[in-house]
C-alpha cells in the first residue's frame, strides 16, 4: 500500500507530537525528583548544587548526543 508524502508527513508529525508529550512528562518528573534531592541536600547541611554530579550529567548527555547534548543537559539542569 502506497501513501502520499502528505500522509507520511502527517503521521510522522503525530508521532513526534506524542513523543514530545512523553518527553515533557519525563522532564517534569525529573524536575520533581531533582527538587527532592536538592531540598534533602540543603536540609542536611549540603550545598544547593553538587558540581561533580552536574559534570557527570553533562558528560552523559554529551557522550550520548554529541555536543548538542551538553546544551540540552544544561537546560535540564537549569530547570
Amino acid at each position: 500500500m502506497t501513501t502520499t508524502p502528505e500522509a507520511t508527513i502527517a503521521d510522522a508529525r503525530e508521532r513526534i507530537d506524542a513523543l514530545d508529550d512523553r518527553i515533557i512528562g519525563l522532564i517534569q518528573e525529573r524536575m520533581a525528583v531533582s527538587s527532592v534531592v536538592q531540598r534533602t541536600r540543603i536540609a542536611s547541611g549540603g550545598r544547593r548544587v553538587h558540581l561533580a554530579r552536574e559534570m557527570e550529567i553533562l558528560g552523559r548527555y554529551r557522550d550520548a548526543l554529541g555536543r548538542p547534548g551538553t546544551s540540552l543537559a544544561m537546560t535540564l539542569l537549569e530547570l
Side-chain angles (χ1 to χ4, degrees), residues 11-59:
D11 290 345
R13 285 182 175 163
E14 283 183 34
R15 189 161 177 226
I16 288 171
D17 290 344
L19 289 167
D20 284 343
D21 289 342
R22 289 172 47 198
I23 291 167
I24 290 167
L26 289 170
I27 290 170
Q28 290 170 330
E29 182 179 354
R30 186 192 191 287
M31 290 169 59
V33 172
S34 178
S35 179
V36 169
V37 170
Q38 190 177 77
R39 283 193 316 266
T40 304
R41 190 172 41 241
I42 291 169
S44 66
R47 302 173 101 182
R48 185 182 71 79
V49 175
H50 188 265
L51 294 178
R53 174 67 177 153
E54 289 196 359
M55 294 305 293
E56 180 183 324
I57 292 166
L58 291 171

Side-chain angles (χ1 to χ4, degrees), residues 30 51-78:
R30 186 192 191 287
L51 294 178
R53 174 67 177 153
E54 289 196 359
M55 294 305 293
E56 180 183 324
I57 292 166
L58 291 171
R60 180 181 307 137
Y61 276 78
R62 182 190 61 243
D63 291 347
L65 303 172
R67 197 163 133 219
T70 303
S71 297
L72 178 58
M74 289 294 293
T75 299
L76 289 171
L77 291 170
E78 184 179 338

